[in-house]
Amino acid sequence: MRSTPHKSLAAAACAVAALAAVSLPATTASARSATATACTPGQVVANGGFESGTSPWTQSSTSVITSRAGESAHGGTTFAWLNGVGSTHTDTLSQSVTIPSGCSTATLTYWLHIDTAETTSSTAYDKLTAKIGTTTLATYSNLDKNSGYIQKSVDVSGFAGQTVNLVFTGTEDSSLQTSFVLDDIALNTSGGTTPPGDSTRTPAAPAYTVSLSSNASGTGWTGHESATFTNASATALNEVYLRLWDNYHGTCSAMPIKVSNVTGGTAGDLTVGCTALKIALATPLYQGQSATIGFDLGITVPSGADRFGYDGAYNNIGNALPVLAVRDAAGWHLDPYTNNGESFYSLAADFKVTLDHPTGLLVPATGTSVDTPGSSGRTITTATASKVRDFAWAAGPFSKISGTSPAGTAINIYSVSGISSSDAQSMLATAKSAVDTHAARFGAYPYGELDAVIDNNYWFGGMEYPGFVLDLVSTTALTHEIGHQWWYGIVGDDEYNSPWLDEAFTDYSTDLAQNKTGTGCWNSVSWASTSEKITNSMAYWDAHSSRYSTVIYGYGKCALHDLRRVLGDSVMAKVLKDYATSHWYGVSTTAEFKAAAQAATTTDLTSFWTQHRIEG
């Protein structure tokens, strides 16, 4: 996605917020077909109240589980006290837990008290993170201080059938203590059906209808969103999750994305840094059945030339619309936001978005847009898009030029002030060439028009959304972002767990579009460790951020160039075009691509994958 390495931005501290909801019945589309599996309800955390000593907990020091003066237990006499030192310090508390595979519901609860000597009301100096396995469930900070214990609740049903570590990690900076006090930790399991054991991705065929109105500057938007979806899996859906991705850019007490007045289900707690909202459906949704949820939506755009942020008078509004999380054979995908790359795993969906805004603001957006007059001094932009994975837009007093590629795709270039007319014309020519070149290799561009917003203040280089990209004045970067219309847009992937499937493929496509053969580029590969692989997830790259661009973009595309030399130019070209066709509007996996490549040659590619560290 982003075409240059990224600087590190501090994640906002988060607490858990509850949203009230009204329950409505689901719409029946077919008969029930879920299969029940026996489940013995249970509680799988041992010694969660710490009254039986320290076993089986692992603590970073013997003072974490304690009954010493200064804090008190929620129940009994013993509790876990992380931090409270007032100097640079880290405490951890962990336990291995096994969540039964036969239970459809698994809920982690814990009582948390936070007190602090910090006086700030805006900066998260000291933090507590709750994780299960490698997934961050929630993050708290000195900003979440409270006068007593508050119970937190997190759905961890997606980990059914797994043995994972439950870990609480507290960190303090160099001054002013913050104490994170935990007690009565439990993980209750129940329910009679299993998470999906098949590879079906659901909820399927989402259709979003959105109506929003902006303030005078385009920094604030309010309105309503609804989502209709179908359960494609043989396993019933008891809940869905909305991803409120841009809450990463704020705090849980001051969220940029606010959802309220939920209908069609009951809203639960926000988790995963306030980016995941569970909505329990009124009744189980069985295979083939459809349902609709709706909610009021508020969006506050923060300052910054980012994919979600405003740069002077210009607003970029990427990942702001809540979208449905995906459940597949691995369970619910509730990965954390990553600022180093992308976390946005979603299924192809239809969007109809109505944006009411001041006429002085141009609003480029995903899909095909039509402007009609609104109330005095305002315009209504209606954008429709079919089979896209997300929807993004911008708003500002842009300069706009338009053209049509030789193959017939409408291109619009929106420039901020400071972009010369010659640079805008150059980007228009680049876009025309890139969209046709990629289409000739991988299949015709299906989204009607393509909008590009050009701003040289973007720290991240470029960013892609379906039919809509953000970019610097750069021929290579714009060619790359347009390549993402195929690799991530048309051919989807799990961007958090398999980032190479969109970034490496897009950088390889960019090389081909610019007649670069990648000759000898694999010769410069030097691995930093035995654990470094092209197929590592964003969890790995967030911990090794300085290597992300080198390996995912550089080594990834060089591996594809090497594969082309093994298969031959024409065979490789056919493999990629056929692969795109077979995964059109679907989801790609590393295993499927490896199988497609192997099917195209009599040469055993096992050693090739090993040499290039492509696993899966």
Side-chain angles (χ1 to χ4, degrees), residues 563 566-567 594 597-599 601-610:
L563 182 60
V566 171
L567 300 181
K594 289 170 66 175
Q598 184 61 76
T601 180
T602 57
T603 300
D604 186 347
L605 296 177
T606 301
S607 62
F608 179 91
W609 307 127
T610 301

Side-chain angles (χ1 to χ4, degrees), residues 497-501 503-505 522 525 527 529-538 540-541 547-548 550-560 590 608-615:
N497 289 296
S498 300
W500 90 286
L501 287 173
E503 294 300 355
F505 280 58
W522 190 259
V525 167
W527 300 106
S529 70
T530 56
S531 62
E532 190 172 82
K533 301 175 179 65
I534 287 175
T535 45
N536 282 345
S537 74
M538 287 308 306
Y540 178 90
W541 299 118
R547 294 288 293 171
Y548 169 67
T550 298
V551 177
I552 292 296
Y553 292 75
Y555 296 1
K557 75 173 180 183
C558 287
L560 292 174
T590 297
F608 179 91
W609 307 127
T610 301
Q611 176 194 357
H612 293 80
R613 299 196 183 188
I614 296 173
E615 298 181 355

Side-chain angles (χ1 to χ4, degrees), residues 22 380 388 599:
V22 178
I380 297 174
V388 296

Side-chain angles (χ1 to χ4, degrees), residues 292-312:
T292 299
I293 57 173
F295 47 88
D296 292 336
L297 176 64
I299 299 170
T300 302
V301 183
S303 176
D306 208 335
R307 54 190 175 191
F308 178 59
Y310 67 84
D311 179 20

Side-chain angles (χ1 to χ4, degrees), residues 24-63:
L24 294 179
T27 301
T28 300
S30 70
R32 291 165 170 76
S33 58
T35 302
T37 300
C39 171
T40 302
Q43 199 288 102
V44 301
V45 169
N47 190 25
F50 310 111
E51 301 299 320
S52 302
T54 61
S55 180
W57 293 100
T58 299
Q59 52 183 336
S60 55
S61 71
T62 56
S63 62

Side-chain angles (χ1 to χ4, degrees), residues 102-120:
C103 298
S104 62
T105 300
T107 304
L108 172 69
T109 59
Y110 48 94
W111 291 85
L112 174 64
H113 166 60
I114 303 173
D115 69 53
T116 184
E118 300 282 2
T119 59
T120 179

Side-chain angles (χ1 to χ4, degrees), residues 485-568:
Q485 299 303 310
W486 284 264
W487 307 112
Y488 141 79
I490 298 166
V491 180
D493 65 288
D494 179 346
E495 296 180 281
Y496 188 85
N497 289 296
S498 300
W500 90 286
L501 287 173
D502 49 273
E503 294 300 355
F505 280 58
T506 297
D507 240 23
Y508 174 77
S509 302
T510 302
D511 274 5
L512 296 183
Q514 297 186 323
N515 298 314
K516 296 177 181 178
T517 64
T519 301
C521 68
W522 190 259
N523 297 337
S524 63
V525 167
S526 177
W527 300 106
S529 70
T530 56
S531 62
E532 190 172 82
K533 301 175 179 65
I534 287 175
T535 45
N536 282 345
S537 74
M538 287 308 306
Y540 178 90
W541 299 118
D542 281 344
H544 304 81
S545 58
S546 66
R547 294 288 293 171
Y548 169 67
S549 179
T550 298
V551 177
I552 292 296
Y553 292 75
Y555 296 1
K557 75 173 180 183
C558 287
L560 292 174
H561 279 301
D562 269 11
L563 182 60
R564 175 171 51 83
R565 281 182 273 276
V566 171
L567 300 181

